[in-house]
Amino acid sequence: MQPFYQGKIDTFCAVYAVLNALQILHDISPRQGRELFNNVLLRASRDEERFLNILTRRTDYLDLVDQTLETARFRYPLKIQAPFGPGAPHGEVWDALLEYARPDRRRAGVFRFLRCVPQRPRPVTDHWTTTHRVDESGLHFFDSSLEPGGVYCLRGSELADTLAPHPREYFMIPPESVRLLSLP
């Protein structure tokens, strides 16, 4: 038997990704994070159909990320960039994420990734996370999940531009999901 952790039964990793980025940029406290989290969920729950889509994973959560960032912007100064549209090459996306994995400069990237494995037609993981730091092993995440088999670091060589059969595990970052955050 394993204890529940964020992401095991809830669907709010997108909100947690923004909250974790705000920790990097503004050192927000758990109380401040909880206030923002509650505010965003309360606002989202006012549209029952939209909220049901959030709860049942029938969305890509991009609107929820943007709503969380806009709500946070009222209290915490943020420069928000969404530099990529669908189809941007993964190399450009990767370079931008590496550039924003700089907590020492109060920068962070928030993004969605899909984990794909051979013999499975659909991704086995669809998760939102936050950049943290880069070293020789790859891009490390400042992540909300405590899943034992979770992904907490990526290498650029593991990325692909499209979902297609591959002989090995690979990852895809939808370019339109990337939000690059810094102080104004």
Side-chain angles (χ1 to χ4, degrees), residues 14-15 17-22 24-25 60-70 73 78-86 88 92-94 96-102 106-113 128-132 139 173-183:
V15 177
V18 173
L19 295 175
N20 287 333
L22 290 172
I24 290 170
L25 274 64
D60 62 8
Y61 298 91
L62 189 55
D63 288 341
L64 186 60
V65 165
D66 289 339
Q67 175 192 344
T68 305
L69 286 167
E70 286 305 315
R73 187 182 241 170
L78 288 173
K79 180 179 178 187
I80 304 166
Q81 297 177 71
F84 304 109
E92 290 178 24
V93 171
W94 181 249
L97 290 173
L98 294 181
E99 184 180 330
Y100 274 77
R102 298 297 307 263
R106 302 286 185 184
R107 295 175 123 185
V110 171
F111 66 100
R112 175 181 173 218
F113 72 84
W128 283 85
T129 193
T130 306
T131 62
H132 189 235
L139 172 63
I173 298 171
E176 65 277 9
S177 76
V178 174
R179 297 296 180 266
L180 302 176
L181 309 175
S182 59
L183 299 179

Side-chain angles (χ1 to χ4, degrees), residues 145-174:
S145 174
L146 300 175
E147 186 175 358
V151 176
Y152 304 100
C153 181
L154 277 181
R155 289 180 294 282
S157 62
E158 298 173 315
L159 296 176
D161 283 324
T162 58
L163 295 175
H166 285 270
R168 60 178 174 76
E169 178 180 73
Y170 71 97
F171 297 85
M172 191 182 138
I173 298 171

Side-chain angles (χ1 to χ4, degrees), residues 1-70:
M1 185 173 0
Q2 295 288 325
F4 295 128
Y5 48 84
Q6 190 285 313
K8 188 68 172 178
I9 59 174
D10 70 58
T11 55
F12 301 119
C13 60
V15 177
Y16 278 91
V18 173
L19 295 175
N20 287 333
L22 290 172
Q23 280 193 71
I24 290 170
L25 274 64
H26 288 286
D27 296 318
I28 68 168
S29 69
R31 182 186 57 76
Q32 292 168 311
R34 186 173 33 258
E35 286 173 4
L36 182 57
F37 183 86
N38 291 346
N39 188 345
V40 166
L41 293 186
L42 184 61
R43 186 172 164 200
S45 72
R46 291 183 181 130
D47 179 338
E48 187 175 339
E49 182 179 348
R50 178 173 178 255
F51 196 58
L52 185 59
N53 287 338
I54 290 168
L55 294 175
T56 57
R57 303 185 78 136
R58 290 186 297 206
T59 177
D60 62 8
Y61 298 91
L62 189 55
D63 288 341
L64 186 60
V65 165
D66 289 339
Q67 175 192 344
T68 305
L69 286 167
E70 286 305 315

